[in-house]
């Protein structure tokens, strides 16, 4: 498994 | 004019201590409704979100929204000069302030310290955090959660958190072996034993313990912590700060290669 990032889940507002 | 006075200045000191290993510089946004801050760690794996409501301050005034770009390390240096029983006041008169004034006052009003911190212009990258109905919400003693993470991190770098209707299981696998700690729903009167599970759907997610240990620096802000999880979503770890607001940490899970 690899580490996900916040940007994988939350888009730019 | 912006002025915010915290009766219990120690809370502000604890917040800064809790985030200073995770983020180096932040924009604090002040508006009529209070202070808010959002920042990611350099690897973009974790996100910190702080909200402090104006009602929680002893005095609060913000005539127009302003952004205060701060080095957390420098802020921490200044806050070290505040006593734990001091009130802390943040103040600036400027519309586009280049510095932020700090006043620390002890309970007897016999000692007043005044500092100014140079502000920075920071590119802010604000992410839209979706409102999520988390399918598993665990509320437990913050000290107990901290202990579990610390203990497991000596065995493995990652922890799998799996919820069921009755319990939450923290599992690790490392070079030396494997193990798990299961915490069951417990409606104890004692905060330290109490575990509230609200499980609409069980989840199973894997997280880096290094980050959870950093989040746990916030343990002194609240006796309880809530862990909010949904599949395919970052974990949201929330420390409620009495009447003042909340400090939330989001941690991206490990994902399949």
């Amino acid at each position: 498994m690899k580490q996900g990032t916040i940007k994988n889940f939350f888009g730019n507002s | 004019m912006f002025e915010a006075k915290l009766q219990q200045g120690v809370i502000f000191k604890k917040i800064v201590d809790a985030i200073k290993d995770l983020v180096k510089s932040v924009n604090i946004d002040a508006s009529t409704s209070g202070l808010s801050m959002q920042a990611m760690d350099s690897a973009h794996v974790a996100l910190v979100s702080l909200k402090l409501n104006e009602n929680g301050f002893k005095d609060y005034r913000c005539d127009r929204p302003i952004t205060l770009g701060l080095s957390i390390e420098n802020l921490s240096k200044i806050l070290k000069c505040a006593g734990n029983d001091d009130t802390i006041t943040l103040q600036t008169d400027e519309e586009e302030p280049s510095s932020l004034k700090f006043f620390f006052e002890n309970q007897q009003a016999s000692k007043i310290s005044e500092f100014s911190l140079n502000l920075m212009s920071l590119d802010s990258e604000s992410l839209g955090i979706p409102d999520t109905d988390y399918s598993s919400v665990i509320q437990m003693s913050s000290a107990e959660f901290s202990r579990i993470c610390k203990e497991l991190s000596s065995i493995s770098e990652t922890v799998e958190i799996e919820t069921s209707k009755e319990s939450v299981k923290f599992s690790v696998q490392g070079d030396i072996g494997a193990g798990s700690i299961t915490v069951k729903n417990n409606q104890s009167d004692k905060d330290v034993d109490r575990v509230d599970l609200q499980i609409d759907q069980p989840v199973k997610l894997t997280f880096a313990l290094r980050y959870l240990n950093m989040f746990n620096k916030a343990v002194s802000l609240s006796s309880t912590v809530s862990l909010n999880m949904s599949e395919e979503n970052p974990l949201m770890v929330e420390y409620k700060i009495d009447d003042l607001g909340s400090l939330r940490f989001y941690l991206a899970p490990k994902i399949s290669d």
Side-chain angles (χ1 to χ4, degrees), chain B residues 18 24 58 77 128 136 142 159-160 190 195 201 208 212 225:
Chain B
K24 296 291 163 224
K58 187 163 190 294
K77 286 177 187 170
S136 288
S142 58
V159 61
E160 181 188 89
K190 282 197 281 182
V195 179
Q201 277 194 324
L212 295 176
V225 62

Side-chain angles (χ1 to χ4, degrees), chain A, chain B residues 44-45 125-128 130 232 252-255 257:
Chain A
M1 293 183 104
K2 65 175 182 183
Q3 177 63 59
T5 68
I6 290 292
K7 286 180 180 177
N8 293 143
F9 302 93
F10 298 159
N12 287 302
S13 62
Chain B
H44 294 187
V45 170
E125 190 178 25
S126 191
L127 297 177
E232 307 279 316
K254 298 273 179 175
I255 51 181
D257 290 321

